[in-house]
Amino acid sequence: MFDRLEMAPPDPILGLTAAFRADANPNKINLGVGVYQNASGKTPILETVKEAEKRLLEQESTKDYLSIEGEKDYAVALQKLILGEDHSILKDCRAATAQTPGGTGALRVAAEFLQTACDARRIWVSDPTWANHNNIFEAAGLEIATYPYYDAASKSLDFAGMIGALGEIPEGEVVLVHGCCHNPTGLDPDVEQWKQIAKMAGSRKLVLLVDLAYQGLAVGLDEDAQGVRILGEKGSDMLIASSFSKNFGLYRERTGALTVVGDSSDQAAKALSHLKKAIRANYSNPPAHGAQIITIILNDPVLRRRWEEEVRQIRDRIQEMRDLFVQTLKKSGVNRDFSFIRRQNGMFSFSGLTKDQVQVLREKYAIYIVGSGRINVAGMTPSNMDRLCEAVADVLG
Ligand code: LMR
């Protein structure tokens, strides 16, 4: 049977990491995968994570299985982090959470739940969206449709196009939105626009699946959750796929969650029972380590304050690199206006570089960027900036 196999294509994002690691060029630069690097080019373990791990080592007394949906303390802590302490969803107990292996695990469970328990046939995603969204949803049997999101000419959010398209989506269908730091464009709706999205979703009875993977990396932990909090006020059915890879730096611990929000606590409990069916058939029950770390940090006021400060430092460094990138491109003789990069949120900059230019950057300069032109700003450092910008100036001609 296996003799009929051809090589599958490499993943457009993680395949780049593999190629980068295999590249012998000592000056190579990895701006592909969305992983934070500090000014020395390292992906550090947060100090608060190290501290929580020490405590965990002392306290942990068993490696018994977790329940299918994971730990209650983790669920409670992350619901408050996402929704804020006083949100009506929490007061009315309308949310139920399952601990998942990363945000990807959460999205996959969400898709299977929607497809099998809710008879969803299709999901609407922004054009463009994270390269892996389509893989995940198609693997779960959902058809993909797109709504406009990005205006390439003005390098801005095409909100008129987006809201117009949402108004045309058949009632009751599922729409994926990025909670903040849209991947790949870095462009998010503002508060007024979120309100309009919530209103539209309510009137069309759309089911919203919010992908929240970068909370804290745009403006602040509360500010970045405003969109999801506003969407949750209107009472539409909603799912929130959370990833803590970036804001806790827990990439390889695969730490995420899927929160389902219904009309009542009874609805949320019923939905959770179906999530559990999907989870049991996929990976049985979740990994514990990352979630235990997060629970310790979020529930200890001192550690939590220190963690919030670490997130602030990550956010500030990324913003500094945005500024430096724009300045250094200018200094390197690039005439094109790249100031839009300062206005984008989170790790990514949707640069406008073409596939061919990205290819030349890789082959001639060992600079790795996703084929769509998405650049991981969090991989830029003061020491790789000149080389990067000279190379970009060269490919722009
Ligand atoms: C990215 O978009 O680079 C990250 O979300 C990592 C991944 O798994 O693709």
Side-chain angles (χ1 to χ4, degrees):
M1 184 188 280
F2 295 166
D3 59 355
R4 294 199 299 269
L5 291 178
E6 297 290 340
M7 279 302 273
D11 182 80
I13 298 176
L14 297 186
L16 273 186
T17 307
F20 173 82
R21 286 182 180 151
D23 192 325
N25 187 329
N27 297 318
K28 62 189 177 177
I29 304 175
N30 188 5
L31 305 177
V33 67
V35 171
Y36 177 77
Q37 295 170 34
N38 62 19
S40 324
K42 298 272 174 303
T43 301
I45 301 176
L46 300 191
E47 282 177 19
T48 47
V49 166
K50 271 285 180 208
E51 173 62 34
E53 280 183 317
K54 267 190 220 147
R55 294 188 195 176
L56 191 55
L57 201 61
E58 283 159 18
Q59 291 162 11
E60 200 176 37
S61 58
T62 182
K63 294 287 184 190
D64 187 5
Y65 292 123
L66 295 185
S67 63
I68 297 176
E69 73 273 34
E71 292 284 53
K72 185 80 192 152
D73 289 357
Y74 173 66
V76 170
L78 73 90
Q79 285 178 6
K80 286 186 192 159
L81 176 69
I82 294 168
L83 296 167
E85 302 268 339
D86 302 322
H87 201 286
S88 62
I89 292 176
L90 300 185
K91 286 191 182 136
D92 302 340
C93 304
R94 290 192 290 116
T97 294
Q99 180 174 329
T100 59
T104 301
L107 289 165
R108 178 65 191 255
V109 172
E112 285 191 17
F113 161 73
L114 290 163
Q115 208 265 355
T116 55
C118 308
D119 287 329
R121 292 287 159 263
R122 181 158 65 174
I123 184 161
W124 294 79
V125 302
S126 61
D127 177 20
T129 195
W130 178 43
N132 206 27
H133 277 147
N134 290 7
N135 290 336
I136 295 169
F137 300 137
E138 278 170 356
L142 291 174
E143 188 195 314
I144 315 278
T146 60
Y147 58 84
Y149 193 81
Y150 180 64
D151 179 33
S154 63
K155 307 258 185 310
S156 57
L157 172 64
D158 175 11
F159 186 70
M162 176 187 186
I163 200 79
L166 295 186
E168 303 278 304
I169 293 177
E171 277 204 0
E173 293 210 6
V174 184
V175 178
L176 177 99
V177 294
H178 300 225
C180 66
C181 307
H182 181 270
N183 180 359
T185 67
L187 297 166
D188 297 322
D190 62 25
V191 166
E192 277 317 305
Q193 290 168 334
W194 279 121
K195 287 183 181 162
Q196 287 186 55
I197 295 168
K199 202 168 157 202
M200 182 63 81
S203 70
R204 309 285 313 152
K205 296 193 172 34
L206 302 176
V207 178
L208 298 171
L209 170 53
V210 184
D211 187 350
L212 189 63
Y214 298 88
Q215 187 182 357
L217 269 62
V219 182
L221 286 159
D222 284 321
E223 293 85 343
D224 296 355
Q226 266 178 335
V228 67
R229 292 176 191 179
I230 291 168
L231 297 179
E233 278 163 12
K234 283 286 170 205
S236 308
D237 290 346
M238 186 165 79
L239 293 137
I240 307 163
S242 312
S243 162
F244 299 108
S245 296
K246 329 283 171 170
N247 52 12
F248 281 86
L250 285 171
Y251 307 90
R252 65 174 58 176
E253 301 298 351
R254 310 309 301 133
T255 312
L258 179 63
T259 299
V260 59
V261 180
D263 252 0
S264 62
S265 61
D266 179 54
Q267 241 185 41
K270 284 182 183 149
L272 181 65
S273 73
H274 288 276
L275 299 187
K276 284 164 67 174
K277 270 186 76 182
I279 289 169
R280 179 66 171 142
N282 261 294
Y283 52 87
S284 195
N285 50 74
H289 189 70
Q292 286 171 310
I293 292 167
I294 289 175
T295 309
I296 292 172
I297 295 174
L298 291 182
N299 286 335
D300 179 305
V302 176
L303 268 189
R304 184 178 175 131
R305 263 198 305 281
R306 280 175 51 201
W307 168 69
E308 288 177 6
E309 177 56 21
E310 289 188 287
V311 176
R312 188 189 64 71
Q313 285 169 8
I314 290 173
R315 181 168 69 237
D316 287 355
R317 202 194 85 74
I318 296 174
Q319 195 53 44
E320 277 165 27
M321 288 305 100
R322 286 188 183 279
D323 290 339
L324 189 61
F325 186 44
V326 174
Q327 283 168 29
T328 315
L329 282 173
K330 219 176 193 165
K331 200 183 77 187
S332 309
V334 173
N335 293 325
R336 199 193 284 184
D337 179 17
F338 274 97
S339 58
F340 63 87
I341 285 174
R342 288 198 173 101
R343 297 190 295 273
Q344 297 170 337
N345 286 328
M347 283 189 165
F348 303 120
S349 163
F350 208 44
S351 65
L353 292 174
T354 64
K355 232 184 168 64
D356 289 346
Q357 289 165 338
V358 168
Q359 189 68 20
V360 177
L361 282 174
R362 176 169 164 179
E363 281 165 7
K364 193 164 165 193
Y365 294 101
I367 295 174
Y368 290 75
I369 288 171
V370 176
S372 62
R374 187 196 81 171
I375 300 180
N376 176 25
V377 182
M380 296 179 188
T381 65
S383 37
N384 67 25
M385 194 61 84
D386 284 339
R387 185 168 180 274
L388 167 67
C389 291
E390 279 156 26
V392 171
D394 179 38
V395 300
L396 288 175

